[in-house]
Amino acid sequence: MIVLGIESTCDETAAAVVERRRDGTSAILSNIVYSQITEHAPFGGVVPEIAARGHVERLDSIISRALRHAGKTVATVDGIAAAAGPGLIGGVIVGLTTAKAIALVTNKPLIAVNHLEAHALSARLVDNTLFPYCLFLASGGHTQIVAVRGVGDYERLGTTLDDAIGEAFDKTAKLLGLPYPGGPQVEKRAKNGDLQRFSLPRPMTGRDNADFSLSGLKTAVRLEAENIAPLGRQDIDDLCASFQRAVTDVVFSRVRAGLMIFNRRYGKPTALVAAGGVAANEMIRQVLDMVAREALVRLVVPPPELCTDNGAMIAWAGAERLELGLTDGLDVSPRARWPLGEVAHAIPAPKFAPSSRLRHTPDKG
Ligand code: KG4
Ligand code: ZN
């Protein structure tokens, strides 16, 4: 099964061709990502209109390159997948409409992929991880701990009550005058900083639930920064190091609690899986490794280029869904909001009614 995948939900214009074999193993035949960072950097964050226009201008050529690198054409792939949300609606419309057009002219199946589901399944792309596993998903817009029981079968065990972790990194960077996107900048500056200089809060640690709260931590950084203003280079390095340390302590506590909830509900997971841009952070990877060792579960973290947004994860999720017959009609809607719990999944086929095999959740926009 060979699927073309298109990603355009935020500031990456990406396309990839991925093969999924019958035994569940995979091959990434191509994976082309164009990051719009330089276009958004002057504004200190993603500007939705600029992002959507960027996708319109570049998506066709990115798709052509992905097909060429894979040695394929639109006629020789088995399905066309695109992220249909959640995300910035202008970009989502560009990617999904392009996928619909290709599916229409080639008469190939269309798969409207949930971007979060694509992050959730990326461990199976790199590692063939079996269900059920415990997912720690941390990106610019989402922070969740999820029980992944099957394709389309997700239960959220914990989430953030305010900012996402990536958002906290981005906002902290901004208030310290570091360029967008903040996560990699904070990580870089933290390398030379003193992680004990500032005593910052660790919200929610020690609680039984697996929820996060990060806005107070970001505010604490702002207050410390205001106290010692004007900030020198070393001050910024120290604030970055202290902030990153506090976040990693929070991640340790929350993921540990999430694993305990998972164990109580489903028994031991096959693995602890990390996904989303924040999982590219080296220190966060280290604490996840500590939690996994303590719980005696395997840790699966895709390489950084598959943790941040990319087309390969969309193509892979498309292939997993296509394998189960979970395809979409050309009338499927793009969605700005689309919680994982609302993703359609296959249910066991009733003996005499094969046409009712698919359960589709109504689109709530
Ligand atoms: O998954 P992703 O590429 O896009 C979204 O779907 O949001 O995640 C982007 C987020 C941004 O907030 C970015 O600052 C953060 O992931 N990020 C990092 C690192 N690399 C990316 N955060 C901390 N450390 C990093 N090395
Ligand atoms: Zn993402």
Side-chain angles (χ1 to χ4, degrees):
M1 184 104 67
I2 293 174
V3 174
L4 168 69
I6 297 169
E7 159 61 32
S8 59
T9 60
C10 192
D11 58 347
E12 269 94 20
T13 313
V17 179
V18 166
E19 177 179 5
R20 185 185 190 281
R21 307 187 190 99
R22 282 246 167 255
D23 62 1
T25 58
S26 65
I28 298 176
L29 305 183
S30 65
N31 190 21
I32 312 286
V33 180
Y34 174 83
S35 168
Q36 302 178 350
I37 282 177
T38 51
E39 283 129 87
H40 299 288
F43 304 95
V46 180
V47 183
E49 289 76 11
I50 295 178
R53 206 174 312 137
H55 294 309
V56 171
E57 282 163 8
R58 276 186 216 92
L59 188 55
D60 287 358
S61 68
I62 300 271
I63 292 172
S64 302
R65 273 173 63 195
L67 288 165
R68 207 168 48 243
H69 281 216
K72 298 285 167 195
T73 67
V74 285
T76 58
V77 297
D78 300 303
I80 318 296
L88 299 174
I89 196 67
V92 177
I93 291 171
V94 174
L96 184 60
T97 308
T98 305
K100 285 181 182 181
I102 299 172
L104 184 65
V105 295
T106 56
N107 206 18
K108 305 270 175 185
L110 171 75
I111 309 105
V113 170
N114 178 299
H115 178 92
L116 302 175
E117 175 172 49
H119 276 303
L121 296 176
S122 57
R124 290 166 57 77
L125 166 63
V126 295
D127 178 81
N128 209 1
T129 312
L130 298 178
F131 300 119
Y133 54 84
C134 185
L135 169 74
F136 169 59
L137 172 61
S139 66
H142 298 90
T143 297
Q144 299 181 1
I145 297 173
V146 180
V148 181
R149 296 177 299 195
V151 174
D153 190 1
Y154 311 103
E155 190 189 344
R156 202 171 72 186
L157 306 178
T159 187
T160 179
L161 307 179
D162 38 58
D163 291 350
I165 299 184
E167 189 181 355
F169 267 96
D170 294 339
K171 287 179 175 171
T172 298
K174 198 170 185 177
L175 72 89
L176 296 177
L178 300 177
Y180 164 85
Q185 293 291 330
V186 171
E187 178 171 33
K188 202 162 108 199
R189 297 296 295 264
K191 286 201 166 73
N192 308 316
D194 174 0
L195 45 82
Q196 286 176 332
R197 175 162 165 206
F198 300 97
S199 79
L200 299 171
R202 271 81 170 145
M204 310 295 280
T205 51
R207 300 210 190 177
D208 286 343
N209 66 32
D211 289 334
F212 294 76
S213 168
L214 293 144
S215 68
L217 178 53
K218 168 200 69 197
T219 307
V221 175
R222 182 169 55 75
L223 295 176
E224 294 286 2
E226 283 168 4
N227 265 340
I228 57 164
L231 300 179
R233 191 177 173 84
Q234 191 60 48
D235 296 325
I236 294 175
D237 290 354
D238 294 347
L239 279 165
C240 286
S242 301
F243 166 79
Q244 185 173 260
R245 183 58 208 253
V247 172
T248 49
D249 283 353
V250 170
V251 168
F252 181 83
S253 151
R254 308 296 66 218
V255 175
R256 184 197 228 180
L259 272 176
M260 283 176 191
I261 297 171
F262 190 107
N263 263 294
R264 279 201 297 277
R265 292 194 192 161
Y266 310 109
K268 195 171 160 178
T270 61
L272 170 64
V273 166
V278 176
N281 183 288
E282 192 55 43
M283 207 167 176
I284 288 187
R285 285 168 176 250
Q286 281 168 16
V287 293
L288 292 175
D289 189 50
M290 281 162 59
V291 185
R293 278 170 197 274
E294 185 192 73
L296 302 174
V297 295
R298 219 160 53 85
L299 176 67
V300 178
V301 190
E305 66 276 16
L306 293 177
C307 281
T308 49
D309 289 348
N310 64 87
M313 70 178 189
I314 305 295
W316 173 257
E320 293 246 63
R321 297 184 75 79
L322 184 56
E323 182 74 38
L324 296 171
L326 290 165
T327 59
D328 294 270
L330 291 174
D331 58 347
V332 65
S333 301
R335 300 178 64 169
R337 209 190 133 267
W338 188 4
L340 262 181
E342 291 180 16
V343 171
H345 66 272
I347 53 174
K351 262 196 180 134
F352 299 109
S355 61
S356 62
R357 188 168 151 248
L358 305 185
R359 195 194 75 181
H360 285 284
T361 314
D363 194 324
K364 299 198 183 73

